[in-house]
Amino acid sequence: MKILIIQQKMIGDVLTTSILFEALRLEFPQAQLDYLINEHTYPVVDQNPFIDNFIFFTKAEEQSKRALFRLAKTIKQTQYDAVIDVYSKFSSNFITALSGAKLKISKYKWYTSFIYSHTFKESKIPKTIAGLAIENRLELLKPILNKTPEIIQPKIYLTSEELKNSKHYLEQNNINLSQPLYMISVLGSGLNKTYPFDYMATLIDDVVATTNAQILFNYIPNQIKDAQAIYNLCKPETQKHIKFDVFGKSLREFMAITKHCTALIGNEGGAVNMAKALNVSTFTIFSPWIVKAAWNMFEDGKQHVSIHLNDVKPELYIDKKRKEIKASYRIYYEAFTPDLISNKLKAFLKN
């Protein structure tokens, strides 16, 4: 049996969808299981033992219909028995339609359902602490397995060499790994997913005051100005605990460094999902417009904790649509003051 899974989205989505390969491998040890993903997301699934081949969706396919057709033609030649299109966008619709697979599976959209042999309406209410992102994906395997698989947690697979190198790097930079070390996800993927800089600085002050810990910032080189702005807003005493220049130069390096951390704290997004997949504790601050039930995966109130403005000020959400909240995200973020988060964060730190 040959199965192709298509997940053209961000790092967290690609990592989360990787659970389908583990579930399939348990049932079909000899199957060919391939993954079509955006090229830049590969590091989070590199070394995954359940995936046979990777196919990359690049800028060429994004920008050229001719390149997209060539990719679809190549996929058709592989003669897959089943194609699972997790996200269901135009390019994946096109690839699936031309694949020739007998089983074509995706989530239900009224305008694309004719392409697929099986579609599923996504659940809106989670049944387990795994959350909707996990539960809805596992439902996609029903037509192949004739059942919904047991809950599986996403995993990142680091090599012993990567862990050794990251440990050496931290120690070279005077990080004491026998003492608390917190990775702070100071920036989201965009401004509408980034907790206000001054508010974030206040929370970092709280972390240091509560734990006397060493602090790392998660950012990439082109975000250095914004990360520096948050650093500058922290108290001078807090700044002494921040190792600002210690960060991963690549996604794999970031993950290897995070594996050595006590916990990751900060904005909801790919970094949180990666920390969970590394079995590192997390405290997540959700953007006011993001649906918490979809992405608060495996939240148990101890190892993984999160907070949303809707948790503390539900009155702001009465009769409001998600699009309205997203458009007014600045106003909602202003209402999400650090004092609403501080007590829950301190309780997490003490655990």
Side-chain angles (χ1 to χ4, degrees), residues 170-276:
L170 291 171
E171 290 174 341
Q172 268 192 325
N173 283 278
N174 300 313
I175 301 291
N176 185 345
L177 293 177
S178 67
Q179 298 298 316
L181 175 63
Y182 292 101
M183 178 70 75
I184 310 295
S185 186
V186 291
L187 301 164
S189 57
L191 281 177
N192 65 5
K193 292 186 73 178
T194 297
Y195 194 56
F197 290 8
D198 54 338
Y199 290 0
M200 180 61 77
T202 298
L203 292 180
I204 297 169
D205 289 338
D206 284 348
V207 172
V208 170
T210 303
T211 65
N212 199 38
Q214 305 158 104
I215 302 294
L216 302 178
F217 278 12
N218 169 33
Y219 64 94
I220 56 178
N222 66 5
Q223 295 175 320
I224 191 167
K225 288 184 179 179
D226 287 341
Q228 185 72 56
I230 295 170
Y231 172 87
N232 292 340
L233 289 165
C234 292
K235 293 177 180 178
E237 184 58 36
T238 299
Q239 291 177 1
K240 295 176 185 178
H241 291 255
I242 300 171
K243 306 289 186 178
F244 187 82
D245 295 322
V246 179
F247 63 96
K249 309 302 188 293
S250 70
L251 198 53
R252 294 293 292 186
E253 286 184 11
F254 163 73
M255 292 186 290
I257 290 170
T258 301
K259 181 63 179 174
H260 295 290
C261 292
T262 308
L264 182 143
I265 298 166
N267 293 287
E268 182 273 330
V272 170
N273 295 322
M274 285 184 272
K276 288 180 178 180

Side-chain angles (χ1 to χ4, degrees), residues 74-191:
T74 300
I75 288 169
K76 182 178 181 179
Q77 290 171 349
T78 306
Q79 297 182 330
Y80 288 104
D81 299 288
V83 173
I84 302 173
D85 177 8
V86 179
Y87 187 41
S88 186
K89 56 188 293 186
F90 169 76
S91 53
S92 59
N93 297 154
F94 182 75
I95 290 167
T96 304
L98 267 63
S99 69
K102 182 177 179 180
L103 291 176
K104 302 183 185 75
I105 306 162
S106 190
K107 63 181 181 181
Y108 176 79
K109 291 183 178 180
W110 67 267
Y111 52 91
T112 58
S113 61
F114 70 93
I115 295 171
Y116 301 92
S117 61
H118 299 78
T119 59
F120 293 90
K121 290 187 177 179
E122 292 186 320
S123 176
K124 302 296 182 185
I125 301 173
K127 299 174 183 176
T128 69
I129 65 167
L132 292 174
I134 297 289
E135 292 173 5
N136 284 327
R137 280 167 169 79
L138 290 174
E139 286 295 310
L140 294 170
L141 295 184
K142 264 188 176 180
I144 298 173
L145 303 180
N146 294 316
K147 63 180 181 179
T148 302
E150 296 293 320
I151 294 296
I152 295 172
Q153 187 163 354
K155 302 175 187 68
I156 286 170
Y157 297 88
L158 296 170
T159 66
S160 57
E161 191 69 16
E162 286 174 314
L163 291 170
K164 178 183 174 183
N165 290 341
S166 59
K167 182 180 180 182
H168 179 66
Y169 172 69
L170 291 171
E171 290 174 341
Q172 268 192 325
N173 283 278
N174 300 313
I175 301 291
N176 185 345
L177 293 177
S178 67
Q179 298 298 316
L181 175 63
Y182 292 101
M183 178 70 75
I184 310 295
S185 186
V186 291
L187 301 164
S189 57
L191 281 177

